[in-house]
Amino acid sequence: MKKRGIGIAVGTHPAGLKGGGDPSQAQIRLKPDGTFDLLNGAVDIGQGCKTILRQLAADELDVPLENITHQNIDTDTGPMCTGTFASRVTFMDGNAVLAAAADLKKKIRDWAAEYFECSPADVEVANNKVFVKGVPEKSLSMAEVGAMVNWGGKFLVGTGAYTPGPGQQFDPETGKMTAIASLAFGCCVAEVEVDTETGVVDVLKLVQVFEVGKAMNRLLCKGQNNGGAMMGIGFGLTENVCPYYPTMDFAVQDLTDYVITTAADMPPVMVEDIVEVPHPNGPRGAKGYSEMTASLAGPAILNAIHNAIGVWITDYPATPERILKALEAAHA
Amino acid sequence: MAEYVGQPVLRYDGIGHVTARTRYVDDIQLPGMLYIKVLTSPVHKGIIRHLDTSAAERMPGVAGVITAKDVPGKNAYGLIPDQPVFTPEHIRYKGERIAAVAAVDEDTAMEALEKIKLDIEEQEPVFDPFKAMEPGAPLVRPEGNVWEFNSGKTRKIRFGDVEKGFAEADVIVEGTYTTATNDHAPMEPQVSVAYIDETDRLAIYTVSQDLYFHLGMLTAIFNLPMNKIRYIGGTVGGGFGSKNDIHCDHVAGLMALKIRKPVKYRHTRREETAYTTKRGPWTFYFKDGVKKDGRIIARYVKTVHDTGGYAGMGPYVVDKNSILVAGPYAIPNVWVDGICVFTNKPPCSSMRGFGIINGTAADQLQTARVAEAIGKDPWEVHFINAWREGDLGATQFKVEAAGLIEAMKRAAELAGIELPAHLKAMSSRGR
Amino acid sequence: MKYVLSFNLNGLPVDTLVKATDTLLDVLREKLNVVSPKRGCDNGDCGACTVLVNGEPVRACLTIGLTVAGKNVQTVEGLQQDGKLHPLQRAFHEHYAAQCGFCTPGMLIAAKALLDKNPKPTREQIVEGISGNLCRCGTYVEVVEAIQAVAAGKYKE
Ligand code: FES
Ligand code: FES
């Protein structure tokens, strides 16, 4: 018999290293034609940091996006980044990039104040221009500034670093640990159909919503949300390196036996969305969250299985074998 | 004002991906490059009594063989640096590295591996973390099978008074949950290309997710300052935490340093599946004290994490899990005991979420059972317990920019679920 | 023992020396430096090595190199025509259908094979067409959307 059920799961996820103390740095250089090189040390593992860090730099410098290159090639040129892990790059490197852009803007203002013979406070860097507030004739394009600065024997480099705070240890007695850069939130609703004869679970519908502070790039979020869901479905239903745990007998050897989701496992209805509660310390309010996109589908599906067939599967993954055994035990 | 943040700006590396111009490490071929294969332990636990690589070294087509003796610096790495690049003596899991060969191609390197004489005294392994904790269990590690935190053999989280909470509760709900060993299975397996560059420095093309973090470990292994290693990366074919640990760079780097020729070391998918770090399995025991109205007023959690033969990020993962395993809920009394156990399995480490995904997996089944036990709609339980702005978590952090209620409302709406008016009226900004 | 293997690669003739046991993936990646087909598993499981042989999608890691003698082999390197991106390439880019990008060449070839045979596939047919290509980043939703957009004529030259 095929039985349907609905399940929900909610969760939260921190950005950055447990205990804090995981800095990132960034550097932005003004080139002779008024374009920029952004250098940082974060690795793009597919999440899209090469894209969003430029977005942040362009906004802060108020220049066209295409005027900014991004390099993260090696440790000779790239400033330090603790690493791409723990949903930390948007938050830490994002803040570092904003700081570097602000620093460069300040240096450009100082240079322009000398040139225009005014106070730096009167100089504005905006709209790809550098000008004295309220004096339209005292204005230079960024291209002009780049040429004058660089060929004039100066080198303007903005540097920035961000750390969520000094590293913390747990209090040994109470476990007190307050260093959490940001917390993102999420909720997943799964609808499944369980075949009580075969134990096979079909995920019919998956709704995921994440509260991300501020989406840097909504479509990169969409990719994380949908992609994480596919990994979460695998976590819930199939993925197991040691099927006879705790023994290592018949441990899986390759992708033939380690079953990850394919396009055919996509729920026919997949809905994702974000909500935004800006974080006071996040770059433009952003939090780090994308690891969490894989956390909720699994428990939502197992809760939906319970809703469908009335038995709890308490061991992940909920394989057909486990479902049939649980049904058998319930009827015994 | 430029306003790119929030806009669907196309991926900076997207054109590279769709034209296949993006260069991944295995796409790199250097003139005269040699290929590495690694001899790994065929047994789960044992002691190397004899290792003789001379026949392999003499084989035509072989350019070099390295073992623990060829590590100029510290033969240990990891967030907790306890894993040797090549084990000199003790074997703690099947697949542990013993020696590496560089040869003209991988077939020749494999042949050479077979010529290495290896005599291992096999010992009784322990796989079950609960058995490993028993007195008299075979020792995975000389110092004992349970990790020592700064709080002893358990990571202790003590918030409020759980016993008082249980006493005041209307219902007690208990449950035990397990999660399995998971593999990251990134489509790009581990690979490293190392060579001596034009400035006579060691250069390594890496799949590392963490250039500086790993550079620090490599400087210790190679006994070189940071500026004598050019660590080239930044583009990775999927990581999910597997490339948060070094798997090939140390071996390739050591070989290049020894033979001063370009080398490539890449995992086959089988090596990737069998030998790389994993998301370790967990057992969770929950006991909740619940009020009839749905408030969870006490939550006790005991977790046992199986981290395999080396610490890797296992203790870190237990720490991170402990902070949030009680869920995104304002529970006034929380007690967490987190235990990290060594067994004779490949080391477990980070994977997408550092133990939080496992905690969520367990806590969300438990919370659903709480709802069932008191005959409430699960939405009700999630809403009334959800963190509000300024609430304290179990480790006494203050919740800032709380947003769970907003996420739940939107999810219910998108799922076509009509929430009762009193839940819809709730907000993270107040209780 | 080595053999001379001659075939057509992305419209141009190539000759190379191969062993009888070299797979097409070995030939392309290691001998010819044509690296768009990726070695995800070398075992036929992942589809990252998918190329077209006489228009048919094959797994290069399961294809013995010598069997393509005299045939036409097409890879992502040959998708661009006159310097312009293939509609599928544009659609993949604009739909964010590549995250880490490692499975993307195989996906593109699988998608091309599908559309060459069936220019107006249903969603189910698209899903089936790419279901042999694993993507651990989980871009399936976006890949399907990109292929649907091309099939709907949104990326006509
Ligand atoms: S490399 Fe050929 S199918 Fe995976
Ligand atoms: S985009 Fe990363 S594997 Fe598909």
Side-chain angles (χ1 to χ4, degrees):
Chain A
M1 214 194 321
K2 296 202 171 179
K3 293 191 165 180
R4 288 191 177 192
I6 290 184
I8 53 181
V10 305
T12 183
H13 203 88
L17 212 54
K18 154 221 98 172
D22 52 331
S24 283
Q25 304 170 339
Q27 201 182 65
I28 307 176
R29 306 188 295 220
L30 172 65
K31 297 176 98 156
D33 67 346
T35 61
F36 301 87
D37 290 326
L38 161 61
L39 284 77
N40 91 314
V43 175
D44 204 320
I45 58 176
Q47 85 282 30
C49 67
K50 289 180 186 176
T51 309
I52 65 126
L53 295 176
R54 282 172 73 243
Q55 290 176 260
L56 280 162
D59 275 9
E60 185 64 24
L61 290 166
D62 203 1
V63 299
L65 184 69
E66 45 291 356
N67 289 10
I68 302 180
T69 66
H70 176 263
Q71 305 286 353
N72 59 347
I73 290 171
D74 63 28
T75 49
D76 283 5
T77 53
M80 192 178 87
C81 164
T82 309
T84 298
F85 61 86
S87 303
R88 64 179 293 285
V89 169
T90 298
F91 201 94
M92 314 302 169
D93 292 70
N95 273 325
V97 166
L98 285 181
D103 184 48
L104 180 54
K105 246 165 58 174
K106 182 186 172 298
K107 286 174 175 153
I108 293 173
R109 263 201 303 268
D110 289 347
W111 175 88
E114 241 175 69
Y115 177 82
F116 290 128
E117 298 179 333
C118 66
S119 145
D122 295 331
V123 178
E124 189 119 40
V125 179
N127 203 11
N128 210 19
K129 287 196 189 68
V130 182
F131 54 92
V132 180
K133 278 178 226 166
V135 191
E137 60 280 13
K138 289 197 171 182
S139 173
L140 293 170
S141 70
M142 196 59 85
E144 290 169 317
V145 173
M148 287 188 214
V149 163
N150 286 284
W151 295 112
K154 292 248 179 346
F155 185 26
L156 298 189
V157 181
T159 62
Y162 182 80
T163 174
Q168 249 188 46
Q169 294 293 328
F170 282 85
D171 177 83
E173 295 315 312
T174 63
K176 185 175 179 190
M177 161 60 73
T178 57
I180 287 193
S182 73
L183 288 168
F185 298 91
C187 177
C188 175
V189 183
E191 198 176 325
V192 303
E193 185 172 82
V194 186
D195 186 324
T196 54
E197 254 125 69
T198 62
V200 170
V201 176
D202 273 329
V203 183
L204 305 175
K205 182 172 171 182
L206 200 72
V207 176
Q208 291 207 106
V209 174
F210 296 98
E211 189 286 300
V212 302
K214 164 79 186 170
M216 296 282 102
N217 184 324
R218 181 64 185 86
L219 290 179
L220 288 177
C221 291
K222 171 174 176 265
Q224 288 299 312
N225 298 349
N226 287 329
M230 295 315 295
M231 198 180 263
I233 292 170
F235 178 89
L237 294 177
T238 57
E239 293 186 29
N240 193 350
V241 173
C242 303
Y244 292 89
Y245 186 80
T247 75
M248 292 287 287
D249 300 349
F250 304 103
V252 301
Q253 296 205 310
D254 46 41
L255 294 169
T256 320
D257 353 295
Y258 191 72
V259 185
I260 65 175
T261 49
T262 71
D265 301 307
M266 257 191 304
V269 183
M270 262 177 106
V271 186
E272 56 77 44
D273 202 1
I274 55 152
V275 290
E276 300 180 319
V277 180
H279 193 281
N281 302 331
R284 301 286 189 260
K287 301 172 175 179
Y289 89 107
S290 58
E291 287 170 300
M292 184 179 30
T293 58
S295 295
L296 303 181
I301 289 168
L302 265 66
N303 282 332
I305 293 171
H306 172 260
N307 186 246
I309 59 175
V311 298
W312 291 106
I313 307 296
T314 52
D315 302 307
Y316 291 82
T319 57
E321 186 184 347
R322 282 178 172 161
I323 288 173
L324 293 180
K325 278 189 177 154
L327 280 170
E328 221 174 84
H331 295 142
Chain B
M1 263 296 280
E3 279 205 46
Y4 295 105
V5 166
Q7 298 303 311
V9 169
L10 291 180
R11 291 189 75 99
Y12 191 47
D13 48 4
I15 289 287
H17 291 349
V18 300
T19 54
R21 288 195 296 251
T22 303
R23 276 292 163 271
Y24 301 91
V25 176
D26 193 33
D27 298 341
I28 290 162
Q29 282 199 45
L30 300 176
M33 192 168 76
L34 299 154
Y35 291 83
I36 294 176
K37 279 283 168 189
V38 169
L39 178 70
T40 58
S41 164
V43 304
H44 298 288
K45 182 169 162 63
I47 295 181
I48 299 174
R49 289 298 177 207
H50 181 73
L51 176 65
D52 177 1
T53 60
S54 52
E57 281 161 43
R58 286 195 304 271
M59 205 181 116
V62 169
V65 180
I66 53 175
T67 66
K69 291 202 291 285
D70 297 288
V71 182
K74 250 173 68 179
N75 188 9
Y77 70 100
L79 176 65
I80 292 155
D82 71 339
Q83 184 172 3
V85 183
F86 296 106
T87 182
E89 189 181 7
H90 287 280
I91 286 160
R92 300 198 163 91
Y93 69 95
K94 186 172 165 178
E96 184 151 13
R97 285 176 299 266
I98 294 170
V101 170
V104 287
D105 55 35
E106 281 158 321
D107 289 346
T108 309
M110 297 273 272
E111 266 180 63
L113 290 185
E114 284 169 25
K115 296 208 171 0
I116 295 177
K117 290 200 192 81
L118 174 66
D119 183 9
I120 298 175
E121 181 187 325
E122 209 175 331
Q123 295 174 321
E124 191 197 343
V126 58
F127 297 125
D128 183 341
F130 290 91
K131 291 221 173 83
M133 281 191 281
E134 284 169 10
L139 283 181
V140 182
R141 322 259 309 186
E143 71 274 19
N145 291 343
V146 181
W147 175 258
E148 287 280 343
F149 295 92
N150 70 349
S151 48
K153 290 198 190 311
T154 58
R155 165 57 67 216
K156 297 179 194 156
I157 311 292
R158 307 287 183 258
F159 184 63
D161 180 348
V162 272
E163 287 311 325
K164 185 166 150 271
F166 290 142
E168 288 168 4
D170 297 321
V171 187
I172 300 289
V173 183
E174 287 174 280
T176 300
Y177 312 94
T178 68
T179 60
T181 315
N182 295 142
D183 187 30
H184 315 78
M187 288 298 104
E188 176 197 42
Q190 297 283 340
V191 49
S192 179
V193 171
Y195 67 104
I196 306 299
D197 80 356
E198 60 280 11
T199 60
D200 205 35
R201 297 187 303 161
L202 174 63
I204 300 176
Y205 286 98
T206 182
V207 296
S208 167
Q209 290 176 219
D210 321 316
L211 294 177
Y212 272 88
F213 181 37
H214 290 166
L215 183 63
M217 293 181 201
L218 293 175
T219 58
I221 296 168
F222 303 147
N223 197 21
L224 287 173
M226 277 193 179
N227 73 346
K228 291 278 190 270
I229 303 168
R230 183 171 172 228
Y231 206 33
I232 313 160
T235 298
V236 171
F240 314 109
S242 68
K243 292 160 184 167
N244 215 9
D245 287 280
I246 302 175
H247 291 96
C248 294
D249 290 339
H250 39 24
V251 172
L254 287 169
M255 187 65 86
L257 282 173
K258 177 160 181 187
I259 66 174
R260 318 271 318 162
K261 291 196 175 106
V263 292
K264 179 182 277 187
Y265 175 36
R266 59 182 169 191
H267 277 176
T268 63
R269 178 56 63 179
R270 285 204 164 188
E271 287 162 342
E272 181 79 12
T273 312
Y275 308 145
T276 58
T277 49
K278 298 281 169 281
R279 177 190 276 148
W282 293 76
T283 303
F284 296 89
Y285 166 72
F286 275 72
K287 179 178 172 185
D288 287 354
V290 188
K291 288 296 228 188
K292 277 209 197 79
D293 63 6
R295 275 178 301 139
I296 304 171
I297 59 167
R299 177 164 269 187
Y300 169 94
V301 191
K302 181 175 174 176
T303 68
V304 175
H305 176 61
D306 177 353
T307 194
Y310 291 97
M313 297 203 190
Y316 175 92
V317 163
V318 172
D319 277 344
K320 205 158 180 179
N321 169 279
S322 301
I323 299 173
L324 291 164
V325 67
Y329 306 119
I331 305 176
N333 306 296
V334 177
W335 176 297
V336 181
D337 278 344
I339 301 175
C340 183
V341 186
F342 294 108
T343 60
N344 292 107
K345 299 201 197 70
C348 293
S349 197
S350 62
M351 177 172 168
R352 205 173 192 169
F354 292 92
I356 294 175
I357 179 171
N358 306 77
T360 300
D363 123 62
Q364 286 304 298
L365 291 185
Q366 169 73 8
T367 306
R369 281 170 119 174
V370 164
E372 185 190 44
I374 55 169
K376 291 257 183 214
D377 185 344
W379 289 105
E380 179 94 21
V381 174
H382 293 307
F383 268 83
I384 58 178
N385 289 293
W387 276 332
R388 310 299 205 267
E389 194 69 20
D391 279 347
L392 286 190
T395 64
Q396 306 178 41
F397 58 84
K398 203 175 194 180
V399 177
E400 259 183 314
L404 178 55
I405 290 182
E406 289 67 26
M408 289 194 290
K409 284 199 236 178
R410 181 70 181 134
E413 188 184 327
L414 288 172
I417 293 165
E418 184 64 24
L419 292 173
H422 72 286
L423 299 187
K424 273 206 228 162
M426 287 184 184
S427 145
S428 296
R429 311 270 83 75
R431 194 162 247 111
Chain C
M1 176 82 177
K2 297 228 173 159
Y3 304 85
V4 177
L5 168 64
S6 304
F7 63 103
N8 238 291
L9 175 63
N10 295 322
L12 293 172
V14 290
D15 303 304
T16 183
L17 272 185
V18 304
K19 287 189 288 196
T21 51
D22 285 337
T23 65
L24 178 55
L25 188 60
D26 297 333
V27 173
L28 291 171
R29 287 186 60 85
E30 319 289 334
K31 314 252 171 209
L32 300 171
N33 229 333
V34 172
V35 292
S36 72
K38 301 298 180 201
R39 200 183 293 274
C41 67
D42 229 356
N43 196 40
D45 289 325
C46 75
C49 64
T50 308
V51 300
L52 297 178
V53 176
N54 284 352
E56 288 293 325
V58 304
R59 306 207 155 197
C61 72
L62 294 183
T63 306
I64 290 296
L66 286 170
T67 63
V68 304
K71 295 186 179 166
N72 292 313
V73 175
Q74 205 180 352
T75 67
V76 168
E77 282 85 349
L79 276 187
Q80 292 187 56
Q81 296 293 326
D82 309 322
K84 279 210 219 70
L85 294 182
H86 186 277
L88 278 166
Q89 290 176 303
R90 273 161 57 209
F92 268 54
H93 183 39
E94 289 174 21
H95 285 81
Y96 295 63
Q99 286 186 26
C100 77
F102 200 80
C103 71
T104 308
M107 282 285 187
L108 281 165
I109 296 293
K112 180 173 190 311
L114 170 74
L115 292 185
D116 285 351
K117 281 225 173 72
N118 178 3
K120 296 265 169 255
T122 61
R123 186 182 180 278
E124 286 65 38
Q125 288 167 331
I126 295 174
V127 166
E128 200 195 313
I130 59 160
S131 65
N133 291 68
L134 297 177
C135 172
R136 189 57 158 164
C137 298
T139 56
Y140 305 126
V141 171
E142 289 74 25
V143 168
V144 169
E145 286 169 355
I147 298 171
Q148 280 176 323
V150 173
K154 292 197 183 124
Y155 287 87
K156 285 228 182 69
E157 253 79 349

